[in-house]
Amino acid sequence: MIHNTAISKDLANKKLHVIREFDAPVEKVWKAWTESSLLDKWWAPKPWKTETKLMDFTEGGLWLYCMAGPNGEKAYCRVDFKTINPGQSFSAVSSFCDEDGNADDNFPRMYWLNEFIATTTGAKVEVAISFDSEADLQKIVEMGFEGGFNMGLGNLDELLQTEEF
């Protein structure tokens, strides 16, 4: 079963809230969010693809990747992991950057808290993304975050139904 993604904006608190359920156990969903070989299969909205350059999923570690477009475009991002509670939650700061991981200050930073919760039918992921300002939140929304992230989570739904684990 494919689930819908609920995305809500809390402008007063400069936050986006994302909730998505999956028909897979928390352990499997956690693995898909924390291992680069699996992230590369679902993170980017089609027809884009994710290509990991570096992944160190530890507190203080980072994930450096690009989203590669069908016409050779490359948009680099880095995710700096802050806290990790294995199988339950992790927090991180993400930013657009160059291919060496140097942050691009023309784009807002996003402060993520991802929580993984067991349900009777699988798992629920709750994501709270905070911003430094309401304008930063609006810029990310205008860049197509909601549609792109929803497409990526749909890719994850499909991946979780395969035997690729």
Side-chain angles (χ1 to χ4, degrees):
M1 172 184 211
I2 301 294
H3 294 275
N4 292 323
T5 303
I7 300 178
S8 61
K9 297 178 203 94
D10 179 354
L11 295 178
N13 291 304
K14 304 173 295 234
K15 286 187 178 182
L16 289 173
H17 297 277
V18 181
I19 299 173
R20 178 73 174 235
E21 291 193 25
F22 299 95
D23 293 328
V26 167
E27 299 78 19
K28 198 172 180 180
V29 176
W30 173 266
K31 188 175 177 182
W33 277 76
T34 60
E35 294 184 13
S36 62
S37 63
L38 296 172
L39 281 161
D40 285 353
K41 293 178 181 179
W42 71 267
W43 187 254
K46 294 173 186 168
W48 291 68
K49 299 204 179 295
T50 303
E51 298 173 356
T52 294
K53 185 171 181 181
L54 171 70
M55 175 73 149
D56 177 14
F57 185 69
T58 60
E59 290 183 356
L62 70 92
W63 176 33
L64 177 59
Y65 69 94
C66 78
M67 287 196 188
N71 300 313
E73 314 94 322
K74 289 194 183 238
Y76 283 89
C77 297
R78 70 175 288 152
V79 176
D80 292 275
F81 300 108
K82 301 300 180 188
T83 61
I84 298 172
N85 186 0
Q88 297 178 31
S89 66
F90 68 89
S91 65
V93 179
S94 68
S95 54
F96 291 92
C97 64
D98 65 18
E99 65 184 84
D100 296 318
N102 300 304
D104 183 341
D105 293 330
N106 294 310
F107 295 95
R109 283 185 171 55
M110 297 184 280
Y111 306 89
W112 294 66
L113 173 60
N114 303 317
E115 298 180 286
F116 300 78
I117 302 148
T119 67
T120 56
T121 59
K124 176 169 61 171
V125 178
E126 294 186 5
V127 180
I129 307 169
S130 302
F131 297 84
D132 289 324
S133 69
E134 188 177 318
D136 286 352
L137 184 157
Q138 293 285 38
K139 184 171 186 173
I140 291 297
V141 169
E142 289 166 9
M143 290 172 61
F145 171 83
E146 293 176 83
F149 195 43
N150 188 43
M151 289 170 72
L153 292 171
N155 296 340
L156 176 54
D157 247 335
E158 292 173 13
L159 177 65
L160 290 167
Q161 302 309 313
T162 70
E163 297 300 320
E164 295 192 40
F165 283 81

